[in-house]
Amino acid sequence: MNTLVKKDEYVRARVSSELKFRAEQILKEVGLNTTDAIRLLLTQVVNRGGFPLELRTPNRETIDAMNSAIESQEFSSSQALFADLENDTDD
């Protein structure tokens, strides 16, 4: 795609101020601004002929796992923690 093509269209999106702020912080760390990120996304949509990220809906098992309470465990020492991890049979 030729990046020297005249840019004469605007893309606008309404997002929460928190989302915008947090995204801008992350983008700044990699040397991008919001406009650059949107332009990159749209360019990749065209180049790939589809959305550049895998979008999936979680299945029931995944949803249940995300919603289940995680059991909190306390250990008297790091050795006790590691012993418990070594004895873990969930895998």
Side-chain angles (χ1 to χ4, degrees):
M1 179 175 205
N2 187 350
T3 58
L4 299 177
V5 173
K6 181 180 171 190
K7 297 171 182 91
D8 58 358
E9 292 289 332
Y10 289 93
V11 176
R12 294 177 53 128
R14 293 187 62 87
V15 297
S16 72
S17 57
E18 181 183 356
L19 174 63
K20 181 178 182 279
F21 176 77
R22 291 175 67 189
E24 286 174 339
Q25 287 180 313
I26 295 166
L27 291 169
K28 185 177 180 181
E29 290 177 12
V30 295
L32 296 173
N33 60 38
T34 305
T35 299
D36 293 333
I38 293 169
R39 189 177 299 115
L40 282 169
L41 171 66
L42 296 177
T43 300
Q44 287 300 307
V45 167
V46 170
N47 288 347
R48 295 171 185 239
F51 202 76
L53 304 171
E54 182 178 2
L55 300 176
R56 298 186 328 186
T57 303
N59 62 27
R60 174 55 44 202
E61 181 181 357
T62 302
I63 292 170
D64 290 344
M66 291 187 304
N67 291 331
S68 70
I70 298 173
E71 274 188 43
S72 177
Q73 289 183 297
E74 292 185 21
F75 298 93
S76 59
S77 67
S78 58
Q79 289 84 8
L81 167 65
F82 286 113
D84 183 71
L85 289 173
E86 288 176 5
N87 293 329
D88 191 3
T89 59
D90 288 339
D91 54 355

